[in-house]
Amino acid sequence: MFSKILIANRGEVALRVIRACKELGIRTVAVYSQPDINSLHVKFADEAICIGSAASANSYLNIPSIISAAEITDVEAIHPGYGFLAEDAHFAEICESCKIKFIGPTPDNMRRMGDKMAAKDSAKKAGVPTIPGSKTIIKTNEEALKVAKEMGYPVIIKAAAGGGGKGMRVCHNDVRLVSALLTAQREAEAAFGNPAVYIEKFIEQPRHIEIQILGDTYGHIIHLGERDCTIQRRHQKLIEETPSPMLDSKLRKKMGEAAVKCAKSIGYVNAGTIEFLLDAKKNFYFMEMNTRIQVEHPITEMVTGIDLIKEQIRITSGEKIPYKQDDIKFEGSAIECRINAEDPDHDFMPSPGKITTMNVPGGRGVRLDTHAYCGYEISPYYDSMIGKLIVHGKNRTDAISICKRALDEFIIEPIKTTIPFHKKVMNNPAFLRGKFSTDFIEKLFEKAE
Ligand code: MV4
């Protein structure tokens, strides 16, 4: 096992990794940008090194600075958290060449899944259902029209280098398709430096269901069930839950096995997530794979009792995963609410600033992952997440009741937060019934106006 790890991240996830390290008896090195000097990850790490100024490009994305910090402090491994360098194959290679272990998948794993068409192809070859669509990149209007005619409208244009919704366009007819092709290509070029797009049949009112997987360096891969991430706004997840109200144990097993097949087909190592779309008839389709630990990983930890960050570290240090698929048991129901410094009454506008009052919820079934505290300033330089409220109950109804009372205890002032939004959702009839799709938030705000 490692004796010292550097965490190449900030905020709640940096703290999350430090906590796992402490429990494993591993010393930690934090890196931080100048404005982050008062962050808890700096306070709770054994050592901390300033790696640059506020802009991410100068600090949390600054590979030479991070590698220098790792060499000065003589760490054996780097945990990248999520975002920043977590899915950067080049960074993982540099770590390797400096004899520092990258806590995550191999550079080859990341490259294979980073290209969305290649990823889809891998899934298809592994025998996993994929969304019908073009087999190649679409360059011309003629190609686009031909594919749309074959599949029938509506169709969706997606960026090949993309993911996460950027460069996407839904089209209902030929005229819209032709104009959307050019804008999608331009948007893809601007966002990813690559204008390549492809076309798929558009699945209407789907659910976003993802499967957590873990693979070790000996080729042993298991899944840890699903997370239902259907409640999103502009491709930002706001609420995640497990188990999904849409899945029974039979479908869970089928999707879990499909996810493991995908991961095995590319020799996947470490923690990863396979995203699926589930249509109204409960057909599931591979969408993409995230080659990192995700923001919403705690809900899986709550129902399985497995610490995913510790497993990531153990896998990287060469240990075998100590469980077989049948050892994984799911207990109760967990929900995560993302607490962002955003104003839900004004189009979720960012609301950075200093927190002068903060009362955090606790009690039975409550977990709070946050780097914020009374006196902490939410910086305008980074994402607006203040923390995550994670609740765990014996079933969905129980989890919702814990969530409601925890939200009532949660006070953050004077900045605006998503707490009132979550309170509203926890009382929404469609949410309570578990019957909703990816347009849930749009519909919620339509009604109010
Ligand atoms: C889709 C889709 C419907 N049909 N693909 C959104 C982000 C990116 N990962 C892919 N996304 C979608 N792809 C087809 N063929 C609908 C979405 C989508 C969506 C997916 C999950 C959660 C929220 C969403 C919101 C809008 C669109």
Side-chain angles (χ1 to χ4, degrees):
M1 182 44 75
F2 305 121
S3 55
K4 203 179 191 184
I5 288 176
L6 180 143
I7 300 106
N9 213 302
R10 65 181 301 282
E12 72 85 22
V13 72
L15 193 56
R16 170 71 191 87
V17 176
I18 291 171
R19 284 172 169 154
C21 289
K22 283 198 173 174
E23 290 176 17
L24 288 170
I26 299 169
R27 278 172 293 142
T28 53
V29 177
V31 292
Y32 64 97
S33 66
Q34 282 158 1
D36 273 348
I37 186 152
N38 295 316
S39 285
L40 288 188
H41 77 288
V42 176
K43 192 177 165 84
F44 289 127
D46 295 301
E47 292 169 69
I49 295 190
C50 183
I51 50 165
S53 55
S56 300
N58 299 332
S59 47
Y60 299 106
L61 291 173
N62 186 338
I63 296 176
S65 284
I66 292 167
I67 296 290
S68 300
E71 289 187 326
I72 291 165
T73 54
D74 201 24
V75 300
E76 299 144 275
I78 296 182
H79 196 300
Y82 50 70
F84 297 121
L85 298 168
E87 294 177 274
D88 188 324
H90 177 63
F91 176 62
E93 274 168 355
I94 292 173
C95 291
E96 256 171 47
S97 69
C98 296
K99 305 274 183 283
I100 299 164
K101 297 272 192 188
F102 175 84
I103 301 172
T106 66
D108 177 70
N109 290 161
M110 289 188 243
R111 287 208 174 92
R112 278 174 185 251
M113 288 300 168
D115 177 334
K116 301 300 155 187
M117 282 200 81
K120 218 177 137 175
D121 217 46
S122 300
K124 208 170 172 177
K125 287 203 174 102
V128 173
T130 56
I131 306 170
S134 65
K135 282 164 192 68
T136 56
I137 301 292
I138 297 293
K139 289 197 177 122
T140 67
N141 292 344
E142 290 68 36
E143 289 169 331
L145 292 165
K146 186 165 172 268
V147 172
K149 191 165 184 177
E150 281 163 16
M151 288 185 304
Y153 288 102
V155 300
I156 182 167
I157 309 175
K158 291 185 176 182
K166 266 190 211 134
M168 269 179 23
R169 281 283 181 291
V170 180
C171 309
H172 293 267
N173 57 55
D174 286 355
V175 176
R176 292 294 176 88
L177 179 64
V178 167
S179 73
L181 181 62
L182 201 62
T183 42
Q185 285 166 333
R186 284 203 195 116
E187 218 173 287
E189 168 85 69
F192 312 108
N194 179 354
V197 299
Y198 62 104
I199 295 179
E200 280 178 355
K201 176 81 187 165
F202 180 63
I203 311 286
E204 289 178 271
Q205 305 207 323
R207 306 246 332 192
H208 171 128
I209 310 282
E210 56 185 35
I211 305 281
Q212 176 70 52
I213 64 123
L214 276 179
D216 65 21
T217 51
Y218 308 91
H220 178 46
I221 304 184
I222 57 169
H223 76 84
L224 301 182
E226 81 281 11
R227 293 184 290 259
D228 190 321
C229 308
T230 302
I231 302 192
Q232 315 193 357
R233 183 183 172 276
R234 303 203 180 149
H235 308 299
Q236 291 292 324
K237 294 169 187 163
L238 277 158
I239 297 175
E240 304 95 346
E241 62 176 308
T242 187
S244 167
M246 291 302 286
L247 263 62
D248 54 21
S249 57
K250 203 173 143 212
L251 186 52
R252 174 169 308 110
K253 188 160 183 275
K254 235 172 116 183
M255 292 180 74
E257 284 168 1
V260 168
K261 269 200 278 181
C262 282
K264 277 195 175 150
S265 77
I266 65 154
Y268 195 79
V269 179
N270 217 282
T273 300
I274 319 272
E275 293 185 0
F276 293 100
L277 278 187
L278 190 69
D279 73 13
K281 292 179 181 155
K282 301 202 187 184
N283 298 305
F284 65 88
Y285 307 93
F286 169 91
M287 196 159 53
E288 49 193 78
M289 179 168 191
N290 299 319
T291 55
R292 60 169 188 274
I293 193 77
Q294 288 187 269
V295 176
E296 60 272 25
H297 76 275
I299 58 173
T300 299
E301 297 185 323
M302 301 312 278
V303 299
T304 60
I306 291 171
D307 184 318
L308 286 167
I309 307 289
K310 284 187 193 165
E311 295 305 333
Q312 285 192 292
I313 296 169
R314 291 195 186 108
I315 287 166
T316 307
S317 80
E319 289 184 28
K320 287 184 175 164
I321 295 172
Y323 325 95
K324 291 196 268 308
Q325 188 61 56
D326 288 342
D327 297 332
I328 308 300
K329 300 278 181 266
F330 304 100
E331 231 182 83
S333 171
I335 303 172
E336 173 178 277
C337 294
R338 296 196 192 186
I339 312 301
N340 299 339
E342 293 170 1
D343 184 355
D345 290 331
H346 292 94
D347 214 26
F348 291 82
M349 191 166 43
S351 175
K354 196 180 181 116
I355 296 170
T356 58
T357 303
M358 182 154 162
N359 185 69
V360 299
R364 172 183 167 259
V366 175
R367 164 175 172 180
L368 188 69
D369 281 18
T370 182
H371 60 296
Y373 54 87
C374 190
Y376 181 74
E377 187 164 342
I378 302 292
S379 164
Y381 294 107
Y382 309 106
D383 77 21
S384 61
M385 201 168 72
I386 305 170
K388 307 176 305 201
L389 169 65
I390 303 116
V391 297
H392 184 211
K394 59 179 186 290
N395 53 44
R396 190 169 189 265
T397 311
D398 189 34
I400 292 171
S401 65
I402 298 170
C403 192
K404 279 195 206 176
R405 73 100 182 132
L407 288 164
D408 282 337
E409 292 172 14
F410 210 163
I411 302 167
I412 299 177
E413 286 171 352
I415 60 171
K416 299 282 188 226
T417 75
T418 48
I419 293 170
F421 163 82
H422 291 298
K423 288 181 180 172
K424 198 159 128 185
V425 175
M426 293 303 142
N427 285 303
N428 178 276
F431 180 76
L432 295 177
R433 270 185 273 124
K435 288 222 161 21
F436 49 85
S437 75
T438 48
D439 57 8
F440 177 79
I441 296 179
E442 277 165 57
K443 281 191 178 159
L444 192 71
F445 283 87
E446 258 169 38
K447 274 193 205 127
E449 277 145 47

